[in-house]
Amino acid sequence: GEEKKEGEEKKEGDEEKKEGEVEAPKAAEKVEEKPAEPAAEAKKEIDIFTVESILDIGDGEPLFAHFTFEDWALLSLRLELSLLAHAYKKDANDPERVGIHESHLPFYYNKYFSKSFTVRYYGVESHSSLIQMVKDAVSLAEGDVLATELAEDFAFDTL
């Protein structure tokens, strides 16, 4: 009985060698990927607010090298809402009109950017929920009016 098992093991071993020849590059790729993972984890621990240049966080890699579609969408939203708050205040040029009311965001967003403002694209149901997602750039001030935390002359190339 044991001889058959040994024979079967040899057959399996032979099959593995044949498969191993084909799969050898895959195994080598896996070995190469494993050391790269801890390096990626170390880069994730970088404090983005202390980075001197977003174009090089070390080894010539930009901060945004691993951004996904969602990251770019939220970055664009932060920029657009901040610009919208500043532009409206400047265009209105009226101390009584301190900003855009939450309920008017879709109208003015469309007016300034020629795009629809659909909060469901971001997985939320209300304007205030969406603004909470980007609260580091904009917020709702007293009276549910859009306000931005960024200065009007903020240098966006330093983000």
Side-chain angles (χ1 to χ4, degrees):
E2 290 180 29
E3 291 178 25
K4 289 182 181 177
K5 288 182 183 176
E6 287 178 12
E8 289 174 3
E9 288 179 288
K10 287 180 182 177
K11 289 179 183 176
E12 288 175 7
D14 290 342
E15 289 174 7
E16 288 177 11
K17 287 180 184 176
K18 290 178 184 176
E19 289 177 10
E21 292 173 2
V22 174
E23 293 183 12
K26 289 181 182 178
E29 289 175 3
K30 289 180 182 176
V31 173
E32 289 176 15
E33 289 176 10
K34 288 181 182 177
E37 289 175 11
E41 290 175 14
K43 289 183 181 181
K44 288 180 184 176
E45 295 175 11
I46 292 174
D47 182 11
I48 61 169
F49 297 106
T50 60
V51 172
E52 290 182 24
S53 172
I54 62 167
L55 299 176
D56 185 7
I57 58 171
D59 300 329
E61 182 178 38
L63 179 65
F64 48 87
H66 301 288
F67 271 21
T68 60
F69 170 77
E70 292 84 2
D71 298 318
W72 288 112
L74 287 173
L75 179 65
S76 295
L77 182 66
R78 282 180 173 89
L79 174 65
E80 290 169 347
L81 289 179
S82 180
L83 291 174
L84 181 61
H86 284 301
Y88 178 83
K89 197 171 188 179
K90 190 173 184 175
D91 291 345
N93 197 20
D94 185 355
E96 292 181 13
R97 301 192 188 278
V98 292
I100 300 170
H101 190 270
E102 172 191 4
S103 62
H104 297 160
L105 274 174
F107 173 79
Y108 285 104
Y109 187 86
N110 184 7
K111 199 66 146 163
Y112 279 83
F113 300 113
S114 300
K115 298 191 290 188
S116 64
F117 187 70
T118 309
V119 296
R120 290 187 181 176
Y121 291 163
Y122 300 93
V124 296
E125 295 294 323
S126 68
H127 300 131
S128 59
S129 299
L130 182 60
I131 291 171
Q132 277 292 9
M133 291 176 70
V134 292
K135 61 185 173 189
D136 55 342
V138 293
S139 61
L140 290 177
E142 187 178 331
D144 290 334
V145 175
L146 185 68
T148 182
E149 308 301 321
L150 302 175
E152 189 174 345
D153 60 348
F154 184 79
F156 288 102
D157 60 343
T158 61
L159 282 177

